[in-house]
Amino acid sequence: MRPSTSGVSVKLEPTAVSIPPSGSLSGQVIPPTSSLRTLHPPAPYDVFLPPPSAGPSAVPQVTAALVAYLPAEPERSRYLKVFRETMLLHPCFNIPNFEQRIAAIFAWAEGGSVSLSTGPMTKAELARDIFFSSAKGNGASKKEQSRGSGPPPGSGGGGRHAPKPTLSFFAAAGAAFALGALVSRDERPEPVDPSPPSLTDSAGTSATLFALSEQALQLSEKTAAYDPDSVMSMILQVLFMLHEGQMSVAQNVFPLVGKMVNVARLMGLAIDPDEFPGTYSLFEAETRRRLWWDVFYYDLFVADCMGHPPLIADNTHTTRLPADVDEEKFTPSSTSLPVPDGADSDGSSTYFSLKCR
């Protein structure tokens, strides 16, 4: 018996009005027509390239000029605060460590020197300790990462311990700022300005930051192997699109979740880290478990919304559920799992375990 086609809608080709006219590239951004999204241009390709002294074979990477596209203070702190509050409802990776790594990006871009005192750790010293502790990022060899990569290209200085951020984590940071800017805008909408915004006015908007995250992740995929930050970037991009409301689940979210599942499998996230003794630290193992179960969650959630079976079957992975830990005390240097004081504490990951179940 053939299914009825009376209720099947035909997808229409995009109309010309959805493409911004060429005049928008010469100083003015055309306001959105009706409910259509304004397409924000990402950063120029040149800001991903080091100085010419790096040689003609230099690959795209994070530069000080690229970091300048991220929000400045006070919007930076406001977006991160909103992002932190939003992630309480969507727990995944360790947010305190994530925020420390974002601070390390700006410390690296500013070329701050590292104090050699034995007192409390400065932000730059903290960056050295926690920034990409797995030492598997974006194709750099272990030898290169162990000796550090110096100050950012074009920064004119920097400490000898300044860590080098990767494009995959920069993409995650951009998506986090985009989500914070989006939720912040919804909570406190700005007054409508009758004059069209300029390109500089839109530099810190959620749409521009999201486009920057997508661009950085695409360049990372072409120049380096996938790492946990790549999956983290995709998770935050999915979360942004679900919050944004104007994205099509079928056109945008559904394909990205499918890609996310396959990348997670390619990285071995479906296999519990304990099956590879001595390979991962305690923090890395818990991070891999959290990423896998968040991928599992969105695969199930989005597939159910689309009326399709999920890609991940119950008998195709061995990754155990993440442990319930005190988020504030759990760091890359932890050698034991810090037990939370209470399940109702904001520093507990109980809700994430419940979400996975």
Side-chain angles (χ1 to χ4, degrees), residues 138-210:
N138 279 7
S141 67
K142 291 183 178 180
K143 182 178 180 181
E144 292 172 337
Q145 293 183 357
S146 64
R147 69 169 182 256
S149 52
S155 67
R160 58 188 175 88
H161 297 306
K164 173 76 173 183
T166 60
L167 282 174
S168 57
F169 183 74
F170 182 87
F177 279 118
L179 180 59
L182 176 67
V183 178
S184 178
R185 182 201 67 187
D186 293 341
E187 292 179 350
R188 189 178 62 182
E190 299 179 357
V192 178
D193 187 352
S195 60
S198 65
L199 284 174
T200 55
D201 293 335
S202 64
T205 63
S206 58
T208 304
L209 291 167
F210 181 74

Side-chain angles (χ1 to χ4, degrees), residues 71-142:
E73 296 291 358
E75 284 77 14
R76 183 192 308 168
S77 296
R78 179 161 62 93
Y79 292 165
L80 281 178
K81 180 177 181 293
V82 175
F83 167 74
R84 185 187 317 116
E85 295 171 348
T86 303
M87 293 304 291
L88 290 176
L89 300 176
H90 308 280
C92 178
F93 44 85
N94 185 280
I95 297 300
N97 176 257
F98 182 80
E99 291 181 338
Q100 290 172 348
R101 296 176 67 189
I102 289 181
I105 285 185
F106 291 101
W108 172 85
E110 293 168 0
S113 61
V114 178
S115 172
L116 298 180
S117 65
T118 58
M121 294 179 67
T122 65
K123 288 185 177 180
E125 291 172 323
L126 183 63
R128 179 193 176 197
D129 181 61
I130 56 118
F131 205 86
F132 303 111
S133 58
S134 60
K136 297 179 178 67
N138 279 7
S141 67
K142 291 183 178 180

Side-chain angles (χ1 to χ4, degrees), residues 39 48 59 69 84 86 100 102 107 110 136 175 189 213 216 235 309 316 324 329 337 347 350:
L39 301 180
F48 288 88
V59 297
Y69 276 78
R84 185 187 317 116
T86 303
Q100 290 172 348
I102 289 181
E110 293 168 0
K136 297 179 178 67
S213 172
I235 291 174
T316 59
D324 183 21
K329 298 178 181 179
L337 296 174
T350 301

Side-chain angles (χ1 to χ4, degrees), residues 50 71 107 115 158 163 174 194 240 274 285 291 319 325 336 349 355 357:
S115 172
F240 174 88
D274 287 350
L291 291 175
T319 306
V325 300
S336 61
S349 58
K355 182 179 77 169
R357 296 180 191 277

Side-chain angles (χ1 to χ4, degrees), residues 198-352:
S198 65
L199 284 174
T200 55
D201 293 335
S202 64
T205 63
S206 58
T208 304
L209 291 167
F210 181 74
L212 184 65
S213 172
E214 289 187 312
Q215 184 185 23
L217 183 60
Q218 290 170 0
L219 290 174
S220 175
E221 292 171 336
K222 295 180 182 298
T223 58
Y226 287 110
D227 59 9
D229 291 333
S230 304
V231 180
M232 187 188 303
S233 302
M234 297 180 203
I235 291 174
L236 290 176
Q237 289 177 1
V238 167
L239 194 55
F240 174 88
M241 290 189 284
L242 293 176
H243 271 77
E244 207 254 359
Q246 297 182 14
M247 290 282 192
S248 166
V249 174
Q251 184 70 20
N252 302 101
V253 180
F254 194 43
L256 181 55
V257 171
K259 173 184 176 181
M260 191 165 62
V261 170
N262 288 318
V263 170
R265 284 172 166 164
L266 178 67
M267 293 178 52
L269 297 184
I271 305 174
D272 192 79
D274 287 350
E275 298 185 28
F276 305 95
T279 303
Y280 305 106
S281 68
L282 184 63
F283 189 87
E284 290 171 337
E286 284 300 311
T287 297
R288 293 175 67 88
R289 292 186 181 108
R290 293 186 182 202
L291 291 175
W292 171 255
W293 281 99
D294 224 40
V295 170
F296 181 90
Y297 169 80
Y298 283 111
D299 175 45
L300 185 63
F301 174 75
V302 175
D304 185 63
C305 291
M306 294 297 300
H308 291 285
L311 296 177
I312 304 175
D314 290 337
N315 60 347
T316 59
H317 58 94
T318 61
T319 306
R320 295 189 287 107
L321 287 172
D324 183 21
V325 300
D326 189 323
E327 298 292 285
E328 298 292 338
K329 298 178 181 179
F330 192 40
T331 67
S333 59
S334 295
T335 56
S336 61
L337 296 174
V339 180
D341 295 334
D344 296 332
S345 171
D346 290 342
S348 170
S349 58
T350 301
Y351 179 68
F352 179 76

